[in-house]
Amino acid sequence: MEIKLDHKSLPADKQRVRFQVVMEELYGIWHEGVYVADEDIFRVDDEVWYDIWSEIVRWEPID
């Protein structure tokens, strides 16, 4: 079965977000970054980023 991401549920391009990744969810660790739409990633900085397809568990916008 193929799982498809609903792009309407994603943040706007370049929107600041707070998010959790799979491996750290149980520890309550959150990260902050920016959503990059054309790459489908949450970028923390130039060297740290997370793929929304395989690593992100939840996200919420930062006002």
Side-chain angles (χ1 to χ4, degrees):
M1 170 162 67
E2 181 181 355
I3 297 174
K4 293 187 178 185
L5 188 63
D6 181 2
H7 286 277
K8 294 180 288 186
S9 69
L10 295 174
D13 188 37
K14 306 294 188 252
Q15 181 176 0
R16 292 208 34 83
V17 292
R18 176 177 124 101
F19 59 92
Q20 286 186 306
V21 295
V22 173
M23 299 302 290
E24 299 170 335
E25 175 188 20
L26 295 176
Y27 303 106
I29 298 172
W30 287 80
H31 300 272
E32 290 186 8
V34 174
Y35 175 62
V36 181
D38 62 339
E39 298 179 44
D40 279 341
I41 62 170
F42 287 145
R43 181 182 305 273
V44 175
D45 59 35
D46 288 339
E47 297 180 15
V48 179
W49 54 271
Y50 298 94
D51 179 70
I52 63 170
W53 293 93
S54 61
E55 297 177 283
I56 303 301
V57 175
R58 67 182 49 80
W59 71 272
E60 56 188 43
I62 296 176
D63 295 330

Short mmCIF file of all heavy atoms in Angstrom, two decimals:
data_model
loop_
_atom_site.label_atom_id
_atom_site.label_comp_id
_atom_site.label_asym_id
_atom_site.label_seq_id
_atom_site.Cartn_x
_atom_site.Cartn_y
_atom_site.Cartn_z
N MET A 1 0.84 -1.17 0.00
CA MET A 1 0.00 0.00 0.00
C MET A 1 0.89 1.24 0.00
O MET A 1 1.84 1.31 0.76
CB MET A 1 -0.90 0.00 1.23
CG MET A 1 -1.60 1.32 1.38
SD MET A 1 -3.03 1.40 2.45
CE MET A 1 -2.46 1.13 4.05
N GLU A 2 0.57 2.19 -0.84
CA GLU A 2 1.33 3.43 -0.91
C GLU A 2 0.68 4.48 -0.01
O GLU A 2 -0.53 4.65 -0.01
CB GLU A 2 1.35 3.95 -2.35
CG GLU A 2 2.13 5.22 -2.51
CD GLU A 2 2.13 5.72 -3.94
OE1 GLU A 2 1.59 5.02 -4.83
OE2 GLU A 2 2.66 6.80 -4.16
N ILE A 3 1.51 5.15 0.75
CA ILE A 3 1.02 6.25 1.60
C ILE A 3 1.38 7.55 0.92
O ILE A 3 2.53 7.77 0.55
CB ILE A 3 1.66 6.18 3.00
CG1 ILE A 3 1.26 4.90 3.68
CG2 ILE A 3 1.26 7.40 3.81
CD1 ILE A 3 1.94 4.66 5.00
N LYS A 4 0.40 8.41 0.74
CA LYS A 4 0.63 9.69 0.08
C LYS A 4 0.48 10.81 1.10
O LYS A 4 -0.45 10.82 1.89
CB LYS A 4 -0.36 9.89 -1.06
CG LYS A 4 -0.14 8.93 -2.19
CD LYS A 4 -1.02 9.26 -3.36
CE LYS A 4 -0.73 8.29 -4.49
NZ LYS A 4 -1.47 8.63 -5.69
N LEU A 5 1.42 11.73 1.05
CA LEU A 5 1.40 12.89 1.92
C LEU A 5 0.42 13.92 1.38
O LEU A 5 0.43 14.22 0.19
CB LEU A 5 2.80 13.48 1.99
CG LEU A 5 3.05 14.57 2.99
CD1 LEU A 5 2.83 14.04 4.40
CD2 LEU A 5 4.48 15.07 2.86
N ASP A 6 -0.44 14.43 2.25
CA ASP A 6 -1.38 15.47 1.84
C ASP A 6 -0.67 16.81 1.97
O ASP A 6 -0.48 17.33 3.07
CB ASP A 6 -2.61 15.42 2.73
CG ASP A 6 -3.65 16.47 2.36
OD1 ASP A 6 -3.44 17.23 1.39
OD2 ASP A 6 -4.67 16.55 3.06
N HIS A 7 -0.26 17.38 0.85
CA HIS A 7 0.51 18.62 0.87
C HIS A 7 -0.29 19.79 1.44
O HIS A 7 0.30 20.77 1.89
CB HIS A 7 1.02 18.95 -0.53
CG HIS A 7 2.16 18.07 -0.93
ND1 HIS A 7 3.46 18.32 -0.55
CD2 HIS A 7 2.19 16.92 -1.63
CE1 HIS A 7 4.24 17.38 -1.01
NE2 HIS A 7 3.50 16.50 -1.67
N LYS A 8 -1.62 19.70 1.47
CA LYS A 8 -2.43 20.76 2.07
C LYS A 8 -2.23 20.83 3.58
O LYS A 8 -2.51 21.83 4.20
CB LYS A 8 -3.91 20.56 1.75
CG LYS A 8 -4.23 20.71 0.27
CD LYS A 8 -5.70 20.50 0.02
CE LYS A 8 -5.99 19.02 0.18
NZ LYS A 8 -7.34 18.61 -0.16
N SER A 9 -1.75 19.74 4.18
CA SER A 9 -1.56 19.71 5.63
C SER A 9 -0.17 20.20 6.05
O SER A 9 0.12 20.28 7.23
CB SER A 9 -1.78 18.29 6.16
OG SER A 9 -0.73 17.44 5.72
N LEU A 10 0.68 20.52 5.07
CA LEU A 10 2.04 20.96 5.37
C LEU A 10 2.10 22.47 5.59
O LEU A 10 1.22 23.21 5.14
CB LEU A 10 2.96 20.58 4.21
CG LEU A 10 3.14 19.09 4.01
CD1 LEU A 10 3.96 18.82 2.75
CD2 LEU A 10 3.80 18.45 5.21
N PRO A 11 3.15 22.94 6.24
CA PRO A 11 3.30 24.39 6.42
C PRO A 11 3.59 25.07 5.08
O PRO A 11 3.89 24.40 4.08
CB PRO A 11 4.50 24.52 7.36
CG PRO A 11 5.19 23.21 7.36
CD PRO A 11 4.23 22.18 6.87
N ALA A 12 3.52 26.38 5.07
CA ALA A 12 3.87 27.14 3.87
C ALA A 12 5.39 27.11 3.69
O ALA A 12 6.14 26.93 4.64
CB ALA A 12 3.40 28.59 4.03
N ASP A 13 5.82 27.27 2.46
CA ASP A 13 7.25 27.30 2.17
C ASP A 13 7.92 28.40 2.98
O ASP A 13 7.42 29.52 3.07
CB ASP A 13 7.47 27.55 0.67
CG ASP A 13 8.92 27.40 0.27
OD1 ASP A 13 9.62 26.52 0.82
OD2 ASP A 13 9.36 28.15 -0.61
N LYS A 14 9.03 28.09 3.60
CA LYS A 14 9.84 28.99 4.43
C LYS A 14 9.18 29.34 5.77
O LYS A 14 9.62 30.25 6.46
CB LYS A 14 10.20 30.28 3.67
CG LYS A 14 10.88 30.04 2.35
CD LYS A 14 12.24 29.40 2.52
CE LYS A 14 12.98 29.35 1.20
NZ LYS A 14 13.09 28.02 0.63
N GLN A 15 8.10 28.65 6.14
CA GLN A 15 7.45 28.90 7.42
C GLN A 15 8.29 28.30 8.55
O GLN A 15 8.81 27.20 8.44
CB GLN A 15 6.06 28.27 7.43
CG GLN A 15 5.32 28.51 8.72
CD GLN A 15 3.90 27.96 8.69
OE1 GLN A 15 3.46 27.39 7.69
NE2 GLN A 15 3.19 28.12 9.77
N ARG A 16 8.41 29.04 9.64
CA ARG A 16 9.11 28.53 10.82
C ARG A 16 8.22 27.52 11.53
O ARG A 16 7.02 27.75 11.69
CB ARG A 16 9.48 29.67 11.76
CG ARG A 16 10.54 30.55 11.13
CD ARG A 16 11.46 31.28 12.06
NE ARG A 16 11.85 30.67 13.29
CZ ARG A 16 12.85 29.78 13.46
NH1 ARG A 16 13.55 29.38 12.44
NH2 ARG A 16 13.13 29.30 14.65
N VAL A 17 8.81 26.41 11.93
CA VAL A 17 8.06 25.33 12.56
C VAL A 17 8.85 24.75 13.74
O VAL A 17 10.05 24.91 13.85
CB VAL A 17 7.76 24.19 11.57
CG1 VAL A 17 6.79 24.64 10.51
CG2 VAL A 17 9.03 23.64 10.95
N ARG A 18 8.11 24.07 14.58
CA ARG A 18 8.66 23.29 15.67
C ARG A 18 8.23 21.87 15.37
O ARG A 18 7.07 21.64 14.99
CB ARG A 18 8.04 23.84 16.94
CG ARG A 18 8.32 23.20 18.19
CD ARG A 18 7.62 24.03 19.28
NE ARG A 18 6.75 23.18 20.03
CZ ARG A 18 7.04 22.68 21.23
NH1 ARG A 18 8.14 23.00 21.82
NH2 ARG A 18 6.20 21.87 21.83
N PHE A 19 9.13 20.89 15.52
CA PHE A 19 8.79 19.53 15.09
C PHE A 19 9.52 18.47 15.90
O PHE A 19 10.51 18.75 16.56
CB PHE A 19 9.11 19.36 13.60
CG PHE A 19 10.55 19.60 13.25
CD1 PHE A 19 11.45 18.55 13.23
CD2 PHE A 19 11.00 20.87 12.96
CE1 PHE A 19 12.78 18.77 12.91
CE2 PHE A 19 12.33 21.09 12.63
CZ PHE A 19 13.22 20.04 12.61
N GLN A 20 8.99 17.25 15.82
CA GLN A 20 9.61 16.09 16.45
C GLN A 20 9.98 15.07 15.39
O GLN A 20 9.27 14.91 14.40
CB GLN A 20 8.66 15.43 17.45
CG GLN A 20 8.50 16.21 18.73
CD GLN A 20 7.68 15.44 19.74
OE1 GLN A 20 6.58 15.02 19.45
NE2 GLN A 20 8.23 15.27 20.93
N VAL A 21 11.09 14.37 15.64
CA VAL A 21 11.52 13.31 14.74
C VAL A 21 11.30 11.95 15.41
O VAL A 21 11.22 11.86 16.63
CB VAL A 21 13.00 13.47 14.31
CG1 VAL A 21 13.17 14.74 13.48
CG2 VAL A 21 13.93 13.49 15.48
N VAL A 22 11.19 10.92 14.61
CA VAL A 22 10.86 9.58 15.08
C VAL A 22 11.73 9.11 16.24
O VAL A 22 11.23 8.67 17.27
CB VAL A 22 10.95 8.57 13.91
CG1 VAL A 22 10.78 7.15 14.39
CG2 VAL A 22 9.94 8.89 12.84
N MET A 23 13.04 9.21 16.09
CA MET A 23 13.96 8.64 17.07
C MET A 23 13.96 9.39 18.41
O MET A 23 14.44 8.86 19.40
CB MET A 23 15.39 8.62 16.51
CG MET A 23 15.52 7.77 15.26
SD MET A 23 15.03 6.04 15.50
CE MET A 23 16.35 5.47 16.53
N GLU A 24 13.42 10.61 18.46
CA GLU A 24 13.46 11.40 19.69
C GLU A 24 12.08 11.67 20.28
O GLU A 24 11.96 12.28 21.34
CB GLU A 24 14.17 12.72 19.42
CG GLU A 24 15.60 12.52 18.97
CD GLU A 24 16.24 13.79 18.47
OE1 GLU A 24 15.53 14.70 18.02
OE2 GLU A 24 17.47 13.85 18.55
N GLU A 25 11.05 11.19 19.64
CA GLU A 25 9.68 11.44 20.08
C GLU A 25 9.43 10.97 21.51
O GLU A 25 8.84 11.68 22.33
CB GLU A 25 8.69 10.77 19.14
CG GLU A 25 7.26 10.88 19.59
CD GLU A 25 6.32 10.05 18.75
OE1 GLU A 25 6.76 9.11 18.06
OE2 GLU A 25 5.12 10.34 18.80
N LEU A 26 9.88 9.78 21.84
CA LEU A 26 9.65 9.23 23.18
C LEU A 26 10.34 10.02 24.28
O LEU A 26 9.96 9.94 25.44
CB LEU A 26 10.09 7.77 23.24
CG LEU A 26 9.30 6.82 22.36
CD1 LEU A 26 9.88 5.41 22.43
CD2 LEU A 26 7.83 6.79 22.77
N TYR A 27 11.35 10.80 23.92
CA TYR A 27 12.08 11.61 24.89
C TYR A 27 11.55 13.03 24.98
O TYR A 27 12.05 13.84 25.77
CB TYR A 27 13.57 11.64 24.53
CG TYR A 27 14.17 10.25 24.45
CD1 TYR A 27 14.46 9.68 23.22
CD2 TYR A 27 14.41 9.51 25.60
CE1 TYR A 27 15.00 8.41 23.13
CE2 TYR A 27 14.93 8.23 25.52
CZ TYR A 27 15.22 7.69 24.28
OH TYR A 27 15.75 6.42 24.21
N GLY A 28 10.54 13.35 24.20
CA GLY A 28 9.93 14.68 24.24
C GLY A 28 10.80 15.77 23.65
O GLY A 28 10.61 16.94 23.96
N ILE A 29 11.74 15.42 22.78
CA ILE A 29 12.65 16.40 22.19
C ILE A 29 11.99 17.05 20.97
O ILE A 29 11.48 16.36 20.09
CB ILE A 29 13.97 15.73 21.79
CG1 ILE A 29 14.67 15.17 23.03
CG2 ILE A 29 14.87 16.72 21.05
CD1 ILE A 29 15.88 14.33 22.74
N TRP A 30 12.03 18.37 20.93
CA TRP A 30 11.51 19.14 19.82
C TRP A 30 12.65 19.93 19.17
O TRP A 30 13.61 20.28 19.84
CB TRP A 30 10.44 20.14 20.29
CG TRP A 30 9.14 19.49 20.66
CD1 TRP A 30 8.85 18.86 21.84
CD2 TRP A 30 7.98 19.41 19.86
NE1 TRP A 30 7.57 18.39 21.81
CE2 TRP A 30 7.00 18.73 20.62
CE3 TRP A 30 7.65 19.86 18.59
CZ2 TRP A 30 5.73 18.47 20.13
CZ3 TRP A 30 6.38 19.61 18.11
CH2 TRP A 30 5.42 18.92 18.87
N HIS A 31 12.52 20.20 17.89
CA HIS A 31 13.48 21.01 17.15
C HIS A 31 12.73 22.19 16.54
O HIS A 31 11.52 22.14 16.38
CB HIS A 31 14.11 20.20 16.01
CG HIS A 31 14.84 18.99 16.48
ND1 HIS A 31 16.16 19.02 16.86
CD2 HIS A 31 14.43 17.71 16.64
CE1 HIS A 31 16.53 17.81 17.23
NE2 HIS A 31 15.50 16.99 17.10
N GLU A 32 13.47 23.22 16.18
CA GLU A 32 12.89 24.35 15.46
C GLU A 32 13.64 24.53 14.16
O GLU A 32 14.85 24.31 14.10
CB GLU A 32 12.97 25.63 16.29
CG GLU A 32 12.06 25.61 17.48
CD GLU A 32 12.02 26.94 18.22
OE1 GLU A 32 12.59 27.94 17.72
OE2 GLU A 32 11.42 26.98 19.29
N GLY A 33 12.90 24.91 13.13
CA GLY A 33 13.52 25.11 11.83
C GLY A 33 12.57 25.75 10.85
O GLY A 33 11.58 26.36 11.25
N VAL A 34 12.87 25.59 9.59
CA VAL A 34 12.09 26.18 8.50
C VAL A 34 11.70 25.07 7.54
O VAL A 34 12.52 24.19 7.22
CB VAL A 34 12.94 27.25 7.76
CG1 VAL A 34 12.22 27.78 6.55
CG2 VAL A 34 13.30 28.37 8.71
N TYR A 35 10.46 25.10 7.07
CA TYR A 35 10.02 24.13 6.07
C TYR A 35 10.48 24.57 4.69
O TYR A 35 10.29 25.72 4.29
CB TYR A 35 8.49 23.99 6.09
CG TYR A 35 7.97 23.09 5.01
CD1 TYR A 35 8.33 21.75 4.97
CD2 TYR A 35 7.14 23.56 4.02
CE1 TYR A 35 7.86 20.91 3.97
CE2 TYR A 35 6.65 22.73 3.02
CZ TYR A 35 7.03 21.41 3.00
OH TYR A 35 6.57 20.59 2.01
N VAL A 36 11.11 23.68 3.93
CA VAL A 36 11.56 23.94 2.57
C VAL A 36 10.71 23.07 1.63
O VAL A 36 10.94 21.86 1.53
CB VAL A 36 13.07 23.64 2.40
CG1 VAL A 36 13.51 23.96 0.98
CG2 VAL A 36 13.89 24.41 3.42
N ALA A 37 9.73 23.69 1.00
CA ALA A 37 8.73 22.95 0.22
C ALA A 37 9.29 22.18 -0.96
O ALA A 37 8.90 21.04 -1.19
CB ALA A 37 7.63 23.90 -0.25
N ASP A 38 10.21 22.79 -1.72
CA ASP A 38 10.67 22.10 -2.92
C ASP A 38 11.56 20.90 -2.61
O ASP A 38 11.80 20.06 -3.47
CB ASP A 38 11.38 23.06 -3.88
CG ASP A 38 12.63 23.70 -3.29
OD1 ASP A 38 12.77 23.75 -2.06
OD2 ASP A 38 13.46 24.18 -4.08
N GLU A 39 12.02 20.77 -1.36
CA GLU A 39 12.83 19.62 -0.95
C GLU A 39 12.09 18.71 0.04
O GLU A 39 12.60 17.66 0.42
CB GLU A 39 14.14 20.10 -0.32
CG GLU A 39 15.01 20.88 -1.27
CD GLU A 39 16.29 21.36 -0.61
OE1 GLU A 39 16.91 20.57 0.11
OE2 GLU A 39 16.65 22.54 -0.82
N ASP A 40 10.90 19.12 0.49
CA ASP A 40 10.12 18.39 1.50
C ASP A 40 10.96 18.07 2.74
O ASP A 40 11.03 16.93 3.20
CB ASP A 40 9.54 17.10 0.92
CG ASP A 40 8.27 17.37 0.13
OD1 ASP A 40 7.66 18.43 0.31
OD2 ASP A 40 7.90 16.51 -0.68
N ILE A 41 11.60 19.11 3.28
CA ILE A 41 12.42 18.94 4.49
C ILE A 41 12.11 20.03 5.49
O ILE A 41 11.59 21.10 5.15
CB ILE A 41 13.93 18.96 4.18
CG1 ILE A 41 14.35 20.31 3.57
CG2 ILE A 41 14.33 17.80 3.29
CD1 ILE A 41 15.87 20.49 3.46
N PHE A 42 12.44 19.75 6.74
CA PHE A 42 12.50 20.76 7.78
C PHE A 42 13.98 21.01 8.02
O PHE A 42 14.71 20.12 8.44
CB PHE A 42 11.83 20.29 9.07
CG PHE A 42 10.32 20.24 8.99
CD1 PHE A 42 9.62 19.26 9.66
CD2 PHE A 42 9.60 21.18 8.28
CE1 PHE A 42 8.24 19.21 9.62
CE2 PHE A 42 8.22 21.13 8.22
CZ PHE A 42 7.53 20.14 8.91
N ARG A 43 14.43 22.23 7.75
CA ARG A 43 15.85 22.57 7.86
C ARG A 43 16.10 23.34 9.15
O ARG A 43 15.44 24.34 9.43
CB ARG A 43 16.28 23.42 6.68
CG ARG A 43 17.75 23.81 6.70
CD ARG A 43 18.12 24.71 5.53
NE ARG A 43 17.79 24.14 4.25
CZ ARG A 43 18.58 23.32 3.56
NH1 ARG A 43 19.75 22.98 4.04
NH2 ARG A 43 18.20 22.86 2.40
N VAL A 44 17.03 22.83 9.96
CA VAL A 44 17.43 23.51 11.19
C VAL A 44 18.52 24.53 10.86
O VAL A 44 18.48 25.66 11.32
CB VAL A 44 17.94 22.49 12.23
CG1 VAL A 44 18.46 23.19 13.46
CG2 VAL A 44 16.82 21.51 12.59
N ASP A 45 19.51 24.12 10.07
CA ASP A 45 20.56 25.00 9.58
C ASP A 45 21.13 24.38 8.31
O ASP A 45 20.57 23.42 7.78
CB ASP A 45 21.65 25.27 10.63
CG ASP A 45 22.34 24.01 11.13
OD1 ASP A 45 22.54 23.06 10.35
OD2 ASP A 45 22.70 23.96 12.33
N ASP A 46 22.24 24.92 7.82
CA ASP A 46 22.79 24.43 6.55
C ASP A 46 23.24 22.97 6.60
O ASP A 46 23.33 22.31 5.58
CB ASP A 46 23.96 25.30 6.10
CG ASP A 46 23.50 26.66 5.61
OD1 ASP A 46 22.31 26.79 5.26
OD2 ASP A 46 24.33 27.58 5.58
N GLU A 47 23.53 22.47 7.78
CA GLU A 47 24.04 21.09 7.90
C GLU A 47 23.04 20.11 8.50
O GLU A 47 23.22 18.91 8.40
CB GLU A 47 25.31 21.10 8.75
CG GLU A 47 26.43 21.89 8.09
CD GLU A 47 27.69 21.91 8.92
OE1 GLU A 47 27.81 21.09 9.86
OE2 GLU A 47 28.56 22.73 8.64
N VAL A 48 21.99 20.61 9.13
CA VAL A 48 21.02 19.73 9.80
C VAL A 48 19.65 19.94 9.19
O VAL A 48 19.11 21.04 9.18
CB VAL A 48 20.96 20.02 11.32
CG1 VAL A 48 19.93 19.13 12.00
CG2 VAL A 48 22.33 19.85 11.95
N TRP A 49 19.08 18.84 8.68
CA TRP A 49 17.74 18.87 8.11
C TRP A 49 17.11 17.49 8.26
O TRP A 49 17.79 16.51 8.44
CB TRP A 49 17.76 19.32 6.65
CG TRP A 49 18.68 18.52 5.79
CD1 TRP A 49 20.00 18.77 5.55
CD2 TRP A 49 18.36 17.32 5.08
NE1 TRP A 49 20.51 17.80 4.73
CE2 TRP A 49 19.53 16.90 4.43
CE3 TRP A 49 17.21 16.56 4.94
CZ2 TRP A 49 19.57 15.76 3.64
CZ3 TRP A 49 17.25 15.43 4.16
CH2 TRP A 49 18.42 15.04 3.52
N TYR A 50 15.77 17.47 8.21
CA TYR A 50 15.02 16.23 8.40
C TYR A 50 14.01 16.07 7.28
O TYR A 50 13.29 17.00 6.94
CB TYR A 50 14.30 16.25 9.75
CG TYR A 50 15.25 16.33 10.91
CD1 TYR A 50 15.58 17.56 11.47
CD2 TYR A 50 15.82 15.18 11.45
CE1 TYR A 50 16.47 17.64 12.54
CE2 TYR A 50 16.70 15.25 12.52
CZ TYR A 50 17.02 16.48 13.05
OH TYR A 50 17.90 16.55 14.11
N ASP A 51 13.92 14.88 6.74
CA ASP A 51 13.01 14.54 5.66
C ASP A 51 11.60 14.33 6.20
O ASP A 51 11.41 13.53 7.12
CB ASP A 51 13.52 13.27 4.97
CG ASP A 51 12.62 12.83 3.86
OD1 ASP A 51 12.59 13.53 2.83
OD2 ASP A 51 11.93 11.81 4.02
N ILE A 52 10.62 15.03 5.63
CA ILE A 52 9.26 14.89 6.15
C ILE A 52 8.65 13.53 5.85
O ILE A 52 7.73 13.10 6.52
CB ILE A 52 8.32 16.01 5.65
CG1 ILE A 52 8.17 15.96 4.14
CG2 ILE A 52 8.80 17.37 6.10
CD1 ILE A 52 7.08 16.87 3.62
N TRP A 53 9.16 12.84 4.84
CA TRP A 53 8.60 11.54 4.46
C TRP A 53 8.99 10.43 5.42
O TRP A 53 8.27 9.47 5.60
CB TRP A 53 9.03 11.17 3.05
CG TRP A 53 8.44 12.05 2.02
CD1 TRP A 53 9.00 13.18 1.49
CD2 TRP A 53 7.17 11.92 1.41
NE1 TRP A 53 8.15 13.74 0.57
CE2 TRP A 53 7.02 12.99 0.51
CE3 TRP A 53 6.14 10.99 1.53
CZ2 TRP A 53 5.88 13.15 -0.27
CZ3 TRP A 53 5.01 11.16 0.75
CH2 TRP A 53 4.89 12.23 -0.13
N SER A 54 10.16 10.53 6.02
CA SER A 54 10.64 9.39 6.81
C SER A 54 11.02 9.71 8.25
O SER A 54 11.15 8.80 9.05
CB SER A 54 11.85 8.76 6.12
OG SER A 54 12.91 9.70 6.02
N GLU A 55 11.19 10.99 8.58
CA GLU A 55 11.71 11.30 9.91
C GLU A 55 10.77 12.10 10.81
O GLU A 55 10.89 12.04 12.02
CB GLU A 55 13.02 12.09 9.78
CG GLU A 55 14.11 11.29 9.08
CD GLU A 55 15.37 12.09 8.90
OE1 GLU A 55 15.41 12.94 7.98
OE2 GLU A 55 16.29 11.88 9.70
N ILE A 56 9.85 12.84 10.25
CA ILE A 56 9.01 13.74 11.05
C ILE A 56 7.78 13.01 11.58
O ILE A 56 7.07 12.34 10.84
CB ILE A 56 8.58 14.95 10.19
CG1 ILE A 56 9.79 15.68 9.63
CG2 ILE A 56 7.69 15.89 10.99
CD1 ILE A 56 10.74 16.22 10.66
N VAL A 57 7.52 13.19 12.87
CA VAL A 57 6.36 12.60 13.50
C VAL A 57 5.23 13.61 13.61
O VAL A 57 4.08 13.32 13.31
CB VAL A 57 6.70 12.09 14.93
CG1 VAL A 57 5.48 11.57 15.64
CG2 VAL A 57 7.78 11.05 14.88
N ARG A 58 5.57 14.83 14.03
CA ARG A 58 4.57 15.90 14.15
C ARG A 58 5.25 17.23 14.01
O ARG A 58 6.45 17.35 14.22
CB ARG A 58 3.81 15.80 15.46
CG ARG A 58 4.61 16.06 16.68
CD ARG A 58 3.82 15.89 17.99
NE ARG A 58 3.06 14.68 18.09
CZ ARG A 58 3.55 13.50 18.42
NH1 ARG A 58 4.82 13.38 18.71
NH2 ARG A 58 2.78 12.43 18.47
N TRP A 59 4.47 18.22 13.66
CA TRP A 59 4.98 19.58 13.56
C TRP A 59 3.90 20.56 13.96
O TRP A 59 2.72 20.23 13.97
CB TRP A 59 5.47 19.87 12.14
CG TRP A 59 4.36 20.00 11.13
CD1 TRP A 59 3.79 18.98 10.42
CD2 TRP A 59 3.66 21.18 10.77
NE1 TRP A 59 2.79 19.45 9.63
CE2 TRP A 59 2.68 20.82 9.83
CE3 TRP A 59 3.74 22.52 11.14
CZ2 TRP A 59 1.82 21.74 9.27
CZ3 TRP A 59 2.88 23.41 10.57
CH2 TRP A 59 1.94 23.02 9.65
N GLU A 60 4.32 21.76 14.30
CA GLU A 60 3.38 22.84 14.58
C GLU A 60 4.04 24.15 14.18
O GLU A 60 5.26 24.30 14.25
CB GLU A 60 2.94 22.86 16.05
CG GLU A 60 4.06 22.95 17.05
CD GLU A 60 3.57 22.76 18.47
OE1 GLU A 60 2.74 21.86 18.72
OE2 GLU A 60 4.05 23.52 19.34
N PRO A 61 3.24 25.13 13.76
CA PRO A 61 3.81 26.40 13.33
C PRO A 61 4.33 27.21 14.52
O PRO A 61 3.84 27.06 15.64
CB PRO A 61 2.62 27.13 12.68
CG PRO A 61 1.41 26.51 13.31
CD PRO A 61 1.79 25.09 13.63
N ILE A 62 5.33 28.02 14.25
CA ILE A 62 5.82 28.98 15.24
C ILE A 62 5.31 30.34 14.80
O ILE A 62 5.54 30.75 13.67
CB ILE A 62 7.36 28.99 15.29
CG1 ILE A 62 7.88 27.65 15.76
CG2 ILE A 62 7.84 30.12 16.21
CD1 ILE A 62 9.39 27.55 15.76
N ASP A 63 4.61 31.01 15.68
CA ASP A 63 4.01 32.32 15.32
C ASP A 63 5.07 33.38 15.11
O ASP A 63 6.09 33.43 15.63
CB ASP A 63 3.05 32.78 16.40
CG ASP A 63 1.85 31.83 16.48
OD1 ASP A 63 1.49 31.25 15.46
OD2 ASP A 63 1.31 31.68 17.58
#
